């Protein structure tokens, strides 16, 4: 794999984060001390200007960027580069006072008041004009400045607006989507139900809380529209910068598996993927290792959006956050573990919110590199500085990339459709969790999957798992058939292929779009189980003569017309004796189907079989250990992370360990929360 560096100005890993010097302009002594401390902590980059609009432009038209230029220059003279943000994430009060259309309307159609963040209408012409003016000023002043690494567009874009401007934009978007044919929309949304047929696009409202919200096609298209709207606003800001001379790369910080927008779509229009990572470790409902696996899944999701290049961990918290029900400090060593996991999974940055704590307002107790005590000898500062030194030791991994052969299919509109479906049980659908559990099972074999969408390129993969692929995009049946036909291993589960892209049920049996022929079965019904229900399946061993039992939870599907090989059958309840896990050979590959929800380790044989058929080597790892791999030309970097609070020894590991600069010959010893980077 070719090395692909995100930036040419910095040879190593970016280490830094959000810095808010506008809060300290009356304390030049603190600003000078901050820069000295950044150097102590091996910080080489900061993000400036995220929430600086009221300082950039304290009154309308009174723009002064001299303070920002002075700080950028001072940082640069100390070898600290700047990621420069557009300030559209939070507006000054003068703007809302004069241009109330800049503020959003809630789901009842009521205009919000000034305040908070992201409380803006992304389609408001008045708001966009004010954004255009400030973005233009920033670009004209700083485009091409050698201190600027990239442009950070707004901040954590999110939320919906139900104002009249957005209502009209939604109608226009629908008219374009349905070729200005209202009958095409009526058919797709099945509006004859409850006599909800529309005569024109002008009659269509957003799904107001006190209006129409039972038409599933409307609900789904509203979410798609809001992804388009946020992306349109993001592109508007990027275009403004480009029109005024900015050539540096762009990013915007995504927020893990955020429900509001389809990040797969948004990712097409920015240069670099970045996201904000705030794991909730040391909680009372799951182990640290399980929490870290959730983070690993999220890293994989964002890494996979732009294959062949690193991503950025734009925000993380050194120490603690301040907005959870329980805000617990990370234990010693955990900051390094979290940060190195990001690097291991493909990030070329470790960035924080924030460099220095603010004295007041809602984030005054949110973790930071520099605490209110104002010294460089706190536990958190020393851990950040130690990590900075470690990042320097492994700087050669910069630009290396992943080359994974296993993928999990994760579509946002499938997720939305499942969440909105009046089916199954309200609280146990757990689409996200189901995807993660399959991811975790592969990780236990030392195999790291990518997280891909239906419309991405699948040609690099040998195994694809598509849990609960309820909604099928146009042509996905043919795409799955082609993947399997060329020798791929494809696994689907219960609740696959029930609806098309408009949430209309497929006719002729599930899974639809021809998939019943590929899998060699049809699903006749899906039953929902109570927690106290006891249902088991009997899994046939390879010999064909012995069996073992596994418990079913939440959902069981009744299969019919089964021509595939049967690997397991229901053992009791009314489906007893019927097939539940199948394998169907289709041309050169195999289609697997799991018709119930069960613990993944109970069907470990399935993953072993797929890996064996795909000729992907694997080895079971000790519990709580993660392995990730990055490649650069002919070099392989294997990262091993001990996500437990107990020391671990892993056998059959050889190579040169970069952090400690020592050779490993056969056995790798990891302390609790320990990390190793093995170069081969």
């Amino acid at each position: 794999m070719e090395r692909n560096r995100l930036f040419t100005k910095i040879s190593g890993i970016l280490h830094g984060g959000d810095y808010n010097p506008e809060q300290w302009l009356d304390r030049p002594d603190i600003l000078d001390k901050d820069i000295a401390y950044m150097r102590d902590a091996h910080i080489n980059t900061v993000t400036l200007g995220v929430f600086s609009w009221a300082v950039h432009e304290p009154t309308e038209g009174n723009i002064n960027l001299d303070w920002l230029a002075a700080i950028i220059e001072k940082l640069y003279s100390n070898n600290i580069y700047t990621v420069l943000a557009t300030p559209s994430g939070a507006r000054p009060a003068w703007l809302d006072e004069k241009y109330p259309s800049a503020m959003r309307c809630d789901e009842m159609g009521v205009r919000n008041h000034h305040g908070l963040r992201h409380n803006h209408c992304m389609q408001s012409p008045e708001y966009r004009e004010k954004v255009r003016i400030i973005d233009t000023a920033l670009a004209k002043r700083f485009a091409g400045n050698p201190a600027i690494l990239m442009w950070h567009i707004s901040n954590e874009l999110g939320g919906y607006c139900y104002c009249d401007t957005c209502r009209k934009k939604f109608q226009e978007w629908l008219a374009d989507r349905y070729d200005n044919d209202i009958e095409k929309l009526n058919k797709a949304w099945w509006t004859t139900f409850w006599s909800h047929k529309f005569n024109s696009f002008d009659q269509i409202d957003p799904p107001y809380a006190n209006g129409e919200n039972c038409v599933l096609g409307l609900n789904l298209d509203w979410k798609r529209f809001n992804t388009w709207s946020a992306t349109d606003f993001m592109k508007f800001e990027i275009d403004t910068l480009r029109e005024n001379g900015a050539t540096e790369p762009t990013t915007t910080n995504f927020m893990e598996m955020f429900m509001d927008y389809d990040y797969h779509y948004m990712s097409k229009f920015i240069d670099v993927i970045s996201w904000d990572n705030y794991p909730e470790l040391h909680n009372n409902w799951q182990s640290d290792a399980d929490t870290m696996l959730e983070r690993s899944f999220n890293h994989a999701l964002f890494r996979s959006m732009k294959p062949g290049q690193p991503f950025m961990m734009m925000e993380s918290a050194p120490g603690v956050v301040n907005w959870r029900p329980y805000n617990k400090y990370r234990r010693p060593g955990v900051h390094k573990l979290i940060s190195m996991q990001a690097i291991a999974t493909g990030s070329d940055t470790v960035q924080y919110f924030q460099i220095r704590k603010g004295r007041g307002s809602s984030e005054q107790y949110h973790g930071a590199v520099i605490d209110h005590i104002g010294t460089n000898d706190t536990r958190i500062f020393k851990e950040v500085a130690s990590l900075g030194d470690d990042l320097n030791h492994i700087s050669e991994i910069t630009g290396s990339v992943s080359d994974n052969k296993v993928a999990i299919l994760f579509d946002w509109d499938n997720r939305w459709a499942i969440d909105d479906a009046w089916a199954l049980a309200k609280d146990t659908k757990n689409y996200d969790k189901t995807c993660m559990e399959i991811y975790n099972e592969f990780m236990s074999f030392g195999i790291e999957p990518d997280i891909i969408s239906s419309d991405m390129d699948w040609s690099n993969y040998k195994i694809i798992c598509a849990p609960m692929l309820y909604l099928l995009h146009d042509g996905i049946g043919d795409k799955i058939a082609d993947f399997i036909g060329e020798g791929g291993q494809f696994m689907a589960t219960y609740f696959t292929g029930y609806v098309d892209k408009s949430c209309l049920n497929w006719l002729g049996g599930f899974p639809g779009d021809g998939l019943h022929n590929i899998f060699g079965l049809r699903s006749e019904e899906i039953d929902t189980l109570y927690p106290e229900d006891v249902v088991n399946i009997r899994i046939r061993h390879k010999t064909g003569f012995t069996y073992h039992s596994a418990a079913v939870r939440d959902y069981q599907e009744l299969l019919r017309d089964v021509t595939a090989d049967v690997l397991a059958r229901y053992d009791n309840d009314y489906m007893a004796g019927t097939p539940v896990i199948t394998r169907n050979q289709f041309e050169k590959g195999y289609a697997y189907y799991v018709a119930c929800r069960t613990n993944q380790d109970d069907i470990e044989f399935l993953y072993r079989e797929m890996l064996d058929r795909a000729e992907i080597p694997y080895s079971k790892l000790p519990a709580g250990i993660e392995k990730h791999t990055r490649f650069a030309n002919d070099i392989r970097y294997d990262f091993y992370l001990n996500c437990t609070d107990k020391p671990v020894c892993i056998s059959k590991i050889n190579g040169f360990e970069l952090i400690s600069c020592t050779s490993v010959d056969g056995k790798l010893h990891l302390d609790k929360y320990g990390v190793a980077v093995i170069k081969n």
Side-chain angles (χ1 to χ4, degrees), residues 442-470:
F442 279 109
M443 287 290 290
S444 74
F445 290 108
I447 303 297
E448 181 181 14
D450 285 345
I451 313 299
I452 62 173
S453 67
S454 290
D455 61 356
M456 289 176 67
D457 180 10
W458 296 358
S459 60
N460 191 53
Y461 303 107
K462 296 181 178 182
I463 298 172
I464 295 177
C465 294
M468 300 177 70
L469 191 60
Y470 170 68

mmCIF file of all heavy atoms in Angstrom, residues 442-470:
data_model
loop_
_atom_site.group_PDB
_atom_site.id
_atom_site.type_symbol
_atom_site.label_atom_id
_atom_site.label_comp_id
_atom_site.label_asym_id
_atom_site.label_seq_id
_atom_site.Cartn_x
_atom_site.Cartn_y
_atom_site.Cartn_z
ATOM 1 N N PHE A 442 -15.098 -10.658 14.674
ATOM 2 C CA PHE A 442 -13.918 -10.683 13.806
ATOM 3 C C PHE A 442 -12.693 -10.151 14.540
ATOM 4 O O PHE A 442 -11.587 -10.691 14.388
ATOM 5 C CB PHE A 442 -14.178 -9.859 12.536
ATOM 6 C CG PHE A 442 -14.951 -10.583 11.478
ATOM 7 C CD1 PHE A 442 -16.255 -10.225 11.197
ATOM 8 C CD2 PHE A 442 -14.380 -11.622 10.769
ATOM 9 C CE1 PHE A 442 -16.988 -10.888 10.221
ATOM 10 C CE2 PHE A 442 -15.091 -12.297 9.782
ATOM 11 C CZ PHE A 442 -16.404 -11.932 9.509
ATOM 12 N N MET A 443 -12.865 -9.108 15.337
ATOM 13 C CA MET A 443 -11.737 -8.558 16.074
ATOM 14 C C MET A 443 -11.133 -9.579 17.031
ATOM 15 O O MET A 443 -9.922 -9.569 17.288
ATOM 16 C CB MET A 443 -12.182 -7.311 16.840
ATOM 17 C CG MET A 443 -12.421 -6.089 15.968
ATOM 18 S SD MET A 443 -10.916 -5.386 15.278
ATOM 19 C CE MET A 443 -10.151 -4.710 16.749
ATOM 20 N N SER A 444 -11.951 -10.473 17.555
ATOM 21 C CA SER A 444 -11.431 -11.497 18.462
ATOM 22 C C SER A 444 -10.487 -12.463 17.750
ATOM 23 O O SER A 444 -9.688 -13.135 18.386
ATOM 24 C CB SER A 444 -12.586 -12.275 19.107
ATOM 25 O OG SER A 444 -13.193 -13.170 18.190
ATOM 26 N N PHE A 445 -10.571 -12.519 16.423
ATOM 27 C CA PHE A 445 -9.668 -13.349 15.616
ATOM 28 C C PHE A 445 -8.467 -12.549 15.104
ATOM 29 O O PHE A 445 -7.694 -13.055 14.289
ATOM 30 C CB PHE A 445 -10.411 -13.936 14.415
ATOM 31 C CG PHE A 445 -11.420 -14.989 14.760
ATOM 32 C CD1 PHE A 445 -12.774 -14.735 14.662
ATOM 33 C CD2 PHE A 445 -11.014 -16.243 15.185
ATOM 34 C CE1 PHE A 445 -13.709 -15.708 14.972
ATOM 35 C CE2 PHE A 445 -11.936 -17.230 15.499
ATOM 36 C CZ PHE A 445 -13.291 -16.959 15.398
ATOM 37 N N GLY A 446 -8.343 -11.285 15.530
ATOM 38 C CA GLY A 446 -7.269 -10.442 15.016
ATOM 39 C C GLY A 446 -7.548 -9.919 13.626
ATOM 40 O O GLY A 446 -6.620 -9.482 12.928
ATOM 41 N N ILE A 447 -8.807 -9.917 13.214
ATOM 42 C CA ILE A 447 -9.220 -9.443 11.896
ATOM 43 C C ILE A 447 -10.042 -8.174 12.072
ATOM 44 O O ILE A 447 -11.092 -8.190 12.717
ATOM 45 C CB ILE A 447 -10.062 -10.501 11.146
ATOM 46 C CG1 ILE A 447 -9.285 -11.803 11.003
ATOM 47 C CG2 ILE A 447 -10.520 -9.971 9.795
ATOM 48 C CD1 ILE A 447 -8.020 -11.689 10.177
ATOM 49 N N GLU A 448 -9.559 -7.071 11.512
ATOM 50 C CA GLU A 448 -10.251 -5.788 11.645
ATOM 51 C C GLU A 448 -11.086 -5.509 10.400
ATOM 52 O O GLU A 448 -10.548 -5.333 9.316
ATOM 53 C CB GLU A 448 -9.234 -4.667 11.845
ATOM 54 C CG GLU A 448 -9.874 -3.305 12.022
ATOM 55 C CD GLU A 448 -8.848 -2.200 12.202
ATOM 56 O OE1 GLU A 448 -7.654 -2.437 11.925
ATOM 57 O OE2 GLU A 448 -9.243 -1.104 12.602
ATOM 58 N N PRO A 449 -12.409 -5.444 10.521
ATOM 59 C CA PRO A 449 -13.239 -5.131 9.354
ATOM 60 C C PRO A 449 -13.294 -3.633 9.068
ATOM 61 O O PRO A 449 -13.105 -2.799 9.962
ATOM 62 C CB PRO A 449 -14.634 -5.637 9.751
ATOM 63 C CG PRO A 449 -14.427 -6.481 10.976
ATOM 64 C CD PRO A 449 -13.222 -5.905 11.645
ATOM 65 N N ASP A 450 -13.579 -3.301 7.823
ATOM 66 C CA ASP A 450 -14.001 -1.952 7.463
ATOM 67 C C ASP A 450 -15.513 -1.865 7.632
ATOM 68 O O ASP A 450 -16.208 -2.881 7.698
ATOM 69 C CB ASP A 450 -13.625 -1.630 6.016
ATOM 70 C CG ASP A 450 -12.141 -1.361 5.837
ATOM 71 O OD1 ASP A 450 -11.454 -1.151 6.848
ATOM 72 O OD2 ASP A 450 -11.670 -1.371 4.678
ATOM 73 N N ILE A 451 -16.031 -0.634 7.698
ATOM 74 C CA ILE A 451 -17.470 -0.399 7.794
ATOM 75 C C ILE A 451 -17.873 0.376 6.543
ATOM 76 O O ILE A 451 -17.478 1.527 6.364
ATOM 77 C CB ILE A 451 -17.844 0.393 9.056
ATOM 78 C CG1 ILE A 451 -17.146 -0.196 10.299
ATOM 79 C CG2 ILE A 451 -19.352 0.417 9.231
ATOM 80 C CD1 ILE A 451 -17.519 -1.630 10.605
ATOM 81 N N ILE A 452 -18.646 -0.254 5.672
ATOM 82 C CA ILE A 452 -18.890 0.304 4.340
ATOM 83 C C ILE A 452 -20.387 0.495 4.104
ATOM 84 O O ILE A 452 -21.221 -0.015 4.853
ATOM 85 C CB ILE A 452 -18.295 -0.603 3.247
ATOM 86 C CG1 ILE A 452 -18.950 -1.984 3.254
ATOM 87 C CG2 ILE A 452 -16.780 -0.713 3.419
ATOM 88 C CD1 ILE A 452 -18.540 -2.883 2.112
ATOM 89 N N SER A 453 -20.705 1.211 3.041
ATOM 90 C CA SER A 453 -22.095 1.431 2.658
ATOM 91 C C SER A 453 -22.434 0.635 1.405
ATOM 92 O O SER A 453 -21.547 0.109 0.720
ATOM 93 C CB SER A 453 -22.342 2.920 2.398
ATOM 94 O OG SER A 453 -21.625 3.352 1.256
ATOM 95 N N SER A 454 -23.715 0.592 1.080
ATOM 96 C CA SER A 454 -24.168 -0.154 -0.093
ATOM 97 C C SER A 454 -23.599 0.401 -1.386
ATOM 98 O O SER A 454 -23.377 -0.355 -2.344
ATOM 99 C CB SER A 454 -25.699 -0.141 -0.166
ATOM 100 O OG SER A 454 -26.272 -0.921 0.850
ATOM 101 N N ASP A 455 -23.379 1.720 -1.437
ATOM 102 C CA ASP A 455 -22.953 2.314 -2.707
ATOM 103 C C ASP A 455 -21.441 2.482 -2.820
ATOM 104 O O ASP A 455 -20.951 3.070 -3.776
ATOM 105 C CB ASP A 455 -23.657 3.653 -2.932
ATOM 106 C CG ASP A 455 -23.346 4.684 -1.853
ATOM 107 O OD1 ASP A 455 -22.641 4.337 -0.888
ATOM 108 O OD2 ASP A 455 -23.818 5.825 -1.981
ATOM 109 N N MET A 456 -20.684 1.941 -1.875
ATOM 110 C CA MET A 456 -19.229 2.014 -1.974
ATOM 111 C C MET A 456 -18.684 0.897 -2.855
ATOM 112 O O MET A 456 -19.390 -0.044 -3.217
ATOM 113 C CB MET A 456 -18.604 1.938 -0.577
ATOM 114 C CG MET A 456 -18.834 3.184 0.268
ATOM 115 S SD MET A 456 -18.188 3.051 1.964
ATOM 116 C CE MET A 456 -16.430 2.992 1.662
ATOM 117 N N ASP A 457 -17.414 1.001 -3.183
ATOM 118 C CA ASP A 457 -16.727 -0.025 -3.958
ATOM 119 C C ASP A 457 -16.421 -1.220 -3.056
ATOM 120 O O ASP A 457 -15.784 -1.069 -2.014
ATOM 121 C CB ASP A 457 -15.427 0.570 -4.527
ATOM 122 C CG ASP A 457 -14.629 -0.430 -5.349
ATOM 123 O OD1 ASP A 457 -15.147 -1.531 -5.641
ATOM 124 O OD2 ASP A 457 -13.480 -0.112 -5.699
ATOM 125 N N TRP A 458 -16.870 -2.403 -3.459
ATOM 126 C CA TRP A 458 -16.660 -3.616 -2.658
ATOM 127 C C TRP A 458 -15.509 -4.487 -3.171
ATOM 128 O O TRP A 458 -15.247 -5.559 -2.622
ATOM 129 C CB TRP A 458 -17.929 -4.481 -2.671
ATOM 130 C CG TRP A 458 -19.128 -3.867 -2.038
ATOM 131 C CD1 TRP A 458 -19.227 -2.650 -1.420
ATOM 132 C CD2 TRP A 458 -20.427 -4.460 -1.949
ATOM 133 N NE1 TRP A 458 -20.503 -2.449 -0.961
ATOM 134 C CE2 TRP A 458 -21.256 -3.543 -1.268
ATOM 135 C CE3 TRP A 458 -20.976 -5.677 -2.372
ATOM 136 C CZ2 TRP A 458 -22.609 -3.809 -1.013
ATOM 137 C CZ3 TRP A 458 -22.305 -5.939 -2.123
ATOM 138 C CH2 TRP A 458 -23.115 -5.012 -1.448
ATOM 139 N N SER A 459 -14.834 -4.050 -4.198
ATOM 140 C CA SER A 459 -13.919 -4.946 -4.911
ATOM 141 C C SER A 459 -12.718 -5.377 -4.077
ATOM 142 O O SER A 459 -12.085 -6.394 -4.393
ATOM 143 C CB SER A 459 -13.439 -4.280 -6.209
ATOM 144 O OG SER A 459 -12.753 -3.064 -5.933
ATOM 145 N N ASN A 460 -12.381 -4.641 -3.014
ATOM 146 C CA ASN A 460 -11.210 -4.996 -2.211
ATOM 147 C C ASN A 460 -11.505 -6.081 -1.179
ATOM 148 O O ASN A 460 -10.596 -6.597 -0.547
ATOM 149 C CB ASN A 460 -10.691 -3.750 -1.483
ATOM 150 C CG ASN A 460 -9.332 -3.966 -0.840
ATOM 151 O OD1 ASN A 460 -8.384 -4.390 -1.503
ATOM 152 N ND2 ASN A 460 -9.227 -3.689 0.452
ATOM 153 N N TYR A 461 -12.787 -6.461 -1.018
ATOM 154 C CA TYR A 461 -13.171 -7.326 0.097
ATOM 155 C C TYR A 461 -13.435 -8.762 -0.349
ATOM 156 O O TYR A 461 -13.875 -9.015 -1.462
ATOM 157 C CB TYR A 461 -14.403 -6.746 0.804
ATOM 158 C CG TYR A 461 -14.158 -5.346 1.298
ATOM 159 C CD1 TYR A 461 -14.745 -4.249 0.670
ATOM 160 C CD2 TYR A 461 -13.287 -5.109 2.361
ATOM 161 C CE1 TYR A 461 -14.487 -2.955 1.099
ATOM 162 C CE2 TYR A 461 -13.019 -3.825 2.793
ATOM 163 C CZ TYR A 461 -13.617 -2.745 2.155
ATOM 164 O OH TYR A 461 -13.355 -1.475 2.577
ATOM 165 N N LYS A 462 -13.171 -9.679 0.576
ATOM 166 C CA LYS A 462 -13.449 -11.094 0.352
ATOM 167 C C LYS A 462 -14.644 -11.570 1.166
ATOM 168 O O LYS A 462 -15.276 -12.561 0.806
ATOM 169 C CB LYS A 462 -12.218 -11.931 0.710
ATOM 170 C CG LYS A 462 -10.999 -11.659 -0.173
ATOM 171 C CD LYS A 462 -9.832 -12.554 0.231
ATOM 172 C CE LYS A 462 -8.631 -12.330 -0.678
ATOM 173 N NZ LYS A 462 -7.492 -13.230 -0.313
ATOM 174 N N ILE A 463 -14.919 -10.875 2.273
ATOM 175 C CA ILE A 463 -16.050 -11.210 3.148
ATOM 176 C C ILE A 463 -16.817 -9.928 3.442
ATOM 177 O O ILE A 463 -16.218 -8.909 3.799
ATOM 178 C CB ILE A 463 -15.579 -11.841 4.476
ATOM 179 C CG1 ILE A 463 -14.839 -13.151 4.241
ATOM 180 C CG2 ILE A 463 -16.758 -12.063 5.420
ATOM 181 C CD1 ILE A 463 -14.194 -13.721 5.504
ATOM 182 N N ILE A 464 -18.140 -9.985 3.297
ATOM 183 C CA ILE A 464 -19.004 -8.875 3.684
ATOM 184 C C ILE A 464 -20.149 -9.427 4.517
ATOM 185 O O ILE A 464 -20.804 -10.393 4.126
ATOM 186 C CB ILE A 464 -19.560 -8.110 2.469
ATOM 187 C CG1 ILE A 464 -18.425 -7.425 1.698
ATOM 188 C CG2 ILE A 464 -20.595 -7.069 2.911
ATOM 189 C CD1 ILE A 464 -18.887 -6.703 0.440
ATOM 190 N N CYS A 465 -20.375 -8.809 5.668
ATOM 191 C CA CYS A 465 -21.522 -9.162 6.508
ATOM 192 C C CYS A 465 -22.499 -7.987 6.499
ATOM 193 O O CYS A 465 -22.094 -6.838 6.682
ATOM 194 C CB CYS A 465 -21.071 -9.455 7.941
ATOM 195 S SG CYS A 465 -20.027 -10.914 8.088
ATOM 196 N N ALA A 466 -23.779 -8.308 6.284
ATOM 197 C CA ALA A 466 -24.810 -7.272 6.170
ATOM 198 C C ALA A 466 -25.920 -7.545 7.179
ATOM 199 O O ALA A 466 -26.990 -8.040 6.816
ATOM 200 C CB ALA A 466 -25.361 -7.234 4.754
ATOM 201 N N PRO A 467 -25.702 -7.245 8.453
ATOM 202 C CA PRO A 467 -26.731 -7.527 9.455
ATOM 203 C C PRO A 467 -27.960 -6.636 9.268
ATOM 204 O O PRO A 467 -27.845 -5.431 9.031
ATOM 205 C CB PRO A 467 -26.024 -7.212 10.784
ATOM 206 C CG PRO A 467 -24.897 -6.310 10.421
ATOM 207 C CD PRO A 467 -24.477 -6.680 9.046
ATOM 208 N N MET A 468 -29.129 -7.240 9.341
ATOM 209 C CA MET A 468 -30.401 -6.515 9.341
ATOM 210 C C MET A 468 -30.486 -5.522 8.182
ATOM 211 O O MET A 468 -30.861 -4.359 8.348
ATOM 212 C CB MET A 468 -30.616 -5.805 10.676
ATOM 213 C CG MET A 468 -30.642 -6.734 11.872
ATOM 214 S SD MET A 468 -30.801 -5.870 13.465
ATOM 215 C CE MET A 468 -32.498 -5.287 13.377
ATOM 216 N N LEU A 469 -30.164 -5.977 6.986
ATOM 217 C CA LEU A 469 -30.217 -5.105 5.807
ATOM 218 C C LEU A 469 -31.673 -4.990 5.347
ATOM 219 O O LEU A 469 -32.073 -5.449 4.285
ATOM 220 C CB LEU A 469 -29.330 -5.647 4.689
ATOM 221 C CG LEU A 469 -29.086 -4.714 3.509
ATOM 222 C CD1 LEU A 469 -28.419 -3.420 3.946
ATOM 223 C CD2 LEU A 469 -28.252 -5.406 2.437
ATOM 224 N N TYR A 470 -32.454 -4.349 6.180
ATOM 225 C CA TYR A 470 -33.903 -4.229 6.028
ATOM 226 C C TYR A 470 -34.285 -3.488 4.750
ATOM 227 O O TYR A 470 -35.157 -3.907 3.997
ATOM 228 C CB TYR A 470 -34.438 -3.500 7.264
ATOM 229 C CG TYR A 470 -35.869 -3.057 7.249
ATOM 230 C CD1 TYR A 470 -36.902 -3.990 7.269
ATOM 231 C CD2 TYR A 470 -36.196 -1.705 7.252
ATOM 232 C CE1 TYR A 470 -38.229 -3.582 7.293
ATOM 233 C CE2 TYR A 470 -37.509 -1.283 7.283
ATOM 234 C CZ TYR A 470 -38.530 -2.221 7.297
ATOM 235 O OH TYR A 470 -39.835 -1.807 7.317
#
